[in-house]
Amino acid sequence: MVAATLRRRTAAGLLASTLALTGTLLAPATPALAADPAYRSLRTAANPDWMRRLPDSAGLAALSLPGTHDTLSIHGGAWTQTQENHGDSAATLAAQLDAGIRAIDVRLRINGGNTFTVHHGATYQQANFDDVLRVLGTFLTARPSETVVMRLKHECTGEVGSCTDATGQLGFADIFDRYRAARPGLFWTPSVDRTTGAAVPTLGAVRGRVVLAVLHGPRGGRYGQYGLAQFADWGHGSSTYVQDDYDVPNVGAIATKRDRVRRHLDATSAGDPTRMYVNFASGSSVFATPAAVAGGALGVQGVNPFLLTYLNEGPQVHPPVRRTGLLMLDFPGGGLVDRIIAVNAFG
């Protein structure tokens, strides 16, 4: 009925098509879970300027950054929502930044007037790219010690379950350049040069700025040389420094996803500190919603509580985690955000 491997951005649309054809109502693969320190309770964390305690000389790649996958996906139902809803027009992003999130994943549709709207698959997320940049600009002006690493992705493939771009518009990269030019000083300039990929900077070089990690096309290809040069091979799914094995076929397979996250976390901790590692804790399929993978379901431990336990375990259990890299989470709880931040050595 459904292919074994599903792209996250089309899962919700494919599910809707399946239900229309069969007339069968499939219950979500997760009950309504109570919020806990690892899951959904984001407002228990308050870390609006935690980076001020780090030295300017710290390499950005050497840091542990809590992040969100599909950062603004708060609408569309159980198979589309990936984040706790703190409001439209990027108010959800503002809440994440105040909690301490410093890596974001934004998916965009080309809209009329050469503008971008935020989508997850076919679902408009009640936010525009102007909202995203406004929230980032306001936050970084008020908190100039901080930086935010952004992954941008062109979401629309035109396939079933995805969105379709407005016709007669400029190309995605050209529209992005217009937004960048309209907000001088918001982005770290070397990361938004389409002809030359940037080296990973120090924190001091990017305080008060957004660092573009990569500008992805709708099927994972990279637009130009935008972003960091080390991510030249980051396409659709995992690559040298990225774990993004997002297909979790069913609730039982959450254990496999946990193991992939753990293995990449261990590789990050032991790896080259000058290279930025990205670890997507997220996953889904028709038979496992993003909330099920994050929080757990049917007696299977979710990725988020597993991560909080793993980070809290001492050296008697496994080698201590010295660096998490960018941990991209669905429905993060405040306790998990606090714990990732604590991995950084302060003072």
Side-chain angles (χ1 to χ4, degrees), residues 219-257:
R219 292 177 175 81
R222 187 176 174 210
Y223 282 122
Q225 298 299 311
Y226 293 98
L228 303 178
Q230 73 154 77
F231 290 133
D233 68 341
W234 182 2
H236 184 66
S238 298
S239 64
T240 304
Y241 300 104
V242 179
Q243 182 282 123
D244 191 13
D245 296 326
Y246 53 80
D247 182 54
V248 181
N250 51 57
V251 169
I254 297 172
T256 301
K257 178 63 182 184

Side-chain angles (χ1 to χ4, degrees), residues 158-178:
E159 299 166 344
V160 173
S162 185
C163 46
T164 299
D165 293 319
T167 59
Q169 309 302 305
L170 296 173
F172 189 86
D174 293 327
I175 297 173
F176 171 74
D177 281 346
R178 287 189 169 193

Side-chain angles (χ1 to χ4, degrees), residues 43-334:
R43 285 202 187 277
T44 65
N47 302 286
D49 56 359
W50 64 266
M51 289 180 153
R52 65 182 172 80
R53 292 173 284 172
L54 295 171
D56 284 350
S57 59
L60 199 61
L63 302 184
S64 298
L65 303 183
T68 47
H69 153 255
D70 231 317
T71 295
L72 291 170
S73 189
I74 57 176
H75 296 291
W79 279 270
T80 301
Q81 184 178 1
T82 63
Q83 301 301 325
E84 188 179 22
N85 187 344
H86 292 281
D88 295 336
S89 302
T92 290
L93 172 59
Q96 292 177 10
L97 295 173
D98 286 340
I101 295 297
R102 294 295 178 268
I104 62 176
D105 173 28
V106 179
R107 316 295 183 90
L108 302 172
R109 172 185 182 266
I110 297 176
N111 200 35
N114 292 306
T115 58
F116 288 146
T117 50
V118 179
H119 269 249
H120 182 181
T123 305
Y124 173 51
Q125 295 302 320
Q126 301 300 318
N128 303 328
F129 196 44
D130 279 327
D131 297 320
V132 173
L133 298 183
R134 172 183 50 80
V135 167
L136 288 168
T138 298
F139 177 77
L140 292 170
T141 297
R143 308 288 183 179
S145 61
E146 309 304 289
T147 188
V148 177
V149 180
M150 174 190 283
R151 183 259 190 127
L152 276 182
K153 186 173 186 296
H154 185 182
E155 181 75 348
C156 300
T157 68
E159 299 166 344
V160 173
S162 185
C163 46
T164 299
D165 293 319
T167 59
Q169 309 302 305
L170 296 173
F172 189 86
D174 293 327
I175 297 173
F176 171 74
D177 281 346
R178 287 189 169 193
Y179 277 101
R180 174 190 54 76
R183 289 203 171 252
L186 179 59
F187 287 92
W188 179 55
T189 301
S191 72
V192 290
D193 183 340
R194 76 162 69 189
T195 62
T196 306
V200 179
T202 62
L203 178 57
V206 296
R207 290 193 194 271
R209 301 287 182 267
V210 177
V211 177
L212 183 65
V214 69
L215 191 69
H216 271 145
R219 292 177 175 81
R222 187 176 174 210
Y223 282 122
Q225 298 299 311
Y226 293 98
L228 303 178
Q230 73 154 77
F231 290 133
D233 68 341
W234 182 2
H236 184 66
S238 298
S239 64
T240 304
Y241 300 104
V242 179
Q243 182 282 123
D244 191 13
D245 296 326
Y246 53 80
D247 182 54
V248 181
N250 51 57
V251 169
I254 297 172
T256 301
K257 178 63 182 184
R258 291 198 313 258
D259 187 61
R260 288 170 176 164
V261 171
R262 178 193 62 79
R263 288 174 181 272
H264 198 69
L265 190 62
D266 291 346
T268 301
S269 190
D272 183 348
T274 69
R275 297 294 183 178
M276 185 178 287
Y277 286 71
V278 184
N279 197 347
F280 282 86
S282 53
S284 66
S285 73
V286 165
F287 299 107
T289 65
V293 176
L298 305 179
V300 180
Q301 185 186 41
V303 177
N304 290 13
F306 164 77
L307 273 171
L308 185 56
T309 299
Y310 195 74
L311 292 173
N312 281 331
E313 288 173 342
Q316 69 276 10
V317 179
H318 55 75
V321 176
R322 303 183 186 280
R323 172 181 60 147
T324 70
L326 278 61
L327 260 178
M328 310 300 285
L329 306 161
D330 283 348
F331 301 104

